[in-house]
Amino acid sequence: MPRAAVVGAGMTEFGIHDIPLEELFAEAAFGALDDAGAEPADVEALYFGNAMSGQAENTTHLGPKVATHAGMAGIPVQRFEDACATSANAFKNAVAAVEAGVHDAVLVGGVERCTPETGRDTAAMTRVFASASHRQYEQPAGLTFPGVFALLTKRHMYEHGTTEEQLAHVAVKNHGHGALNPRAHFGKEVTVEEVLDGPVVADPFRLMDCCPFSDGASAVVVVSDELADSYDAPVDVTGVGHATDVVPIADKPTPHVTQAARDAAEEAYEQAGVSADDVDFAEVHDCFTGAEVLASEALGLVADGEGGPAAATGRTARDGDVPINPSGGLKAKGHPIGATGTAQVVELTEQLRGEAGARQLPDADRAVAHNLGGDAATTVVSVMEVRG
Amino acid sequence: MSDGLTHAAWSDALREGALLGGACDDCGATVGTPKAACPHCGARGLEPVELPTAGTVYTETTVEVPPEGIDERGYRVAVVDLGAARVLGRLDGAAEIGDAVALAGHVEDEQGYVVPRFEPA
Ligand SMILES: [Zn+2]
């Protein structure tokens, strides 16, 4: 039996939005409600994600602010902050709430503004992002977030022989996918040569190995299994796993295996009664190209050490045997931190309904979303399926 | 059971050229930074232990786009394997993964927090 169902999905374009967070979130919230055929009055609670508005925009207590702006003042709002896994954590708790009967229908979503055009410049946002690394034992070294994933990826390269060219193939693939997505931050294709010619951000990552700073919002309507059939196009949520790992990086026994993702995937697959072999496609957290390689292995979609070759040989492309990030991923679609987790759920919902337009995958019946936070010390893995 | 290892004690030791970790009597794990309890088994009161100041590079990167507050570019950050535990710090010099390095001091940020600085051994 499914744990819950997604009956409405909405998101803004990811890119540059010079409007307040409340206006940006309302656009996604209304998109989700309209898609469900629901009114704000149908929603009993809001599970809301935003990671950094206090630091980046000097606005806090955002829950009632966004609820008020979207016509939902009065309902309970719980806000989540879990770095880049912020709104997947909100989704996990929303699914648990409707499954337990705490609520029958809730709105889940997130919003963030990260672009230099609408907020702080690259150096300032690099510092804000670095706040997810350990304040005492990592930040004083000047560790940045590209640096965090560079540390994980370089060990993976050392252990498995993963190459910079294979990483570049991840970027090329996801840019290609993003070019089919009208809501993607980056809509142009790139070549391996262009990626490898880019300036280094934190080696082995060059500029195009890194996702952009994006503004955007996403939201979904989650209802109980009992209520799902009263909506037009429900998609089942059959498993949500959530795990953490040791912080800081140096104290993780094997950082590059991203153990939290493996634990979360095991939990999600077990709830859904499936294995990685049963997954038709995945949206994974490719904040950097190396992160997609690590995620593809942690989810069991490819064998350990095969993540790089799988990208280079096209196995993870739209027409490959394990399509990854048909939306373009964080790399091309964009990464407005608090909106990313539920944006993955939006993509799963649209693909599983067969409503993904030019980027629609054939035979998409079951999919997995992988949203990680911080130095991979939080990961939420969700399994969604065509309603049975 | 000890009172455990604090950030203050860890930092004071580092300023004096020593690396402290916490050893768990219950499961045998050693961690390279202070914890109120063992991250692997939950036992409280990790025993402060002096870690070796030499080891090998476990992983490293060169940061070319620094955060606000750091003006230099092209500095290196590494996780160094000291045997019983690993620690993260700055790495000056050409050492790559697997190469031998040794503690060569510390770096301090604008709030007075310190992390180790390593050089090729
Ligand atoms: Zn222990």
Side-chain angles (χ1 to χ4, degrees), chain A residues 98-122:
Chain A
V98 299
E99 181 182 43
V102 177
H103 302 295
D104 293 319
V106 300
L107 187 68
V108 191
V111 64
E112 205 88 49
R113 297 201 313 155
C114 309
T115 61
E117 289 83 354
T118 65
R120 293 169 180 260
D121 64 18
T122 295

Side-chain angles (χ1 to χ4, degrees), chain B residues 23-29 37-43 46:
Chain B
C24 178
D25 280 345
D26 281 25
C27 77
C38 175
H40 303 292
C41 77
L46 299 184

Side-chain angles (χ1 to χ4, degrees), chain A residues 135 141-142 151 154 203 251, chain B residues 33 35 59-62 75 90:
Chain A
R135 180 65 193 91
L151 291 173
K154 285 196 87 170
D203 83 301
D251 284 324
Chain B
T33 54
K35 307 276 186 298
T59 187
E60 52 75 31
T61 185
T62 303
Y75 57 86
R90 280 285 183 91

Side-chain angles (χ1 to χ4, degrees), chain B:
Chain B
M1 191 169 90
S2 79
D3 292 336
L5 178 62
T6 62
H7 174 248
W10 184 89
S11 302
D12 288 347
L14 175 56
R15 290 175 196 280
E16 289 164 17
L19 294 171
L20 297 185
C24 178
D25 280 345
D26 281 25
C27 77
T30 301
V31 290
T33 54
K35 307 276 186 298
C38 175
H40 303 292
C41 77
R44 297 187 194 175
L46 299 184
E47 194 66 41
V49 292
E50 195 156 333
L51 299 171
T53 54
T56 57
V57 176
Y58 180 78
T59 187
E60 52 75 31
T61 185
T62 303
V63 177
E64 298 288 355
V65 180
E68 186 178 69
I70 295 179
D71 293 329
E72 63 179 309
R73 288 172 178 258
Y75 57 86
R76 305 183 79 199
V77 177
V79 174
V80 174
D81 195 331
L82 301 167
R86 302 187 197 115
V87 293
L88 179 143
R90 280 285 183 91
L91 174 61
D92 290 336
E96 303 295 330
I97 293 177
D99 290 349
V101 293
L103 186 68
H106 62 271
V107 293
E108 184 167 339
D109 76 3
E110 79 288 351
Q111 278 187 268
Y113 294 140
V114 291
V115 294
R117 187 176 71 79
F118 292 92
E119 288 180 354

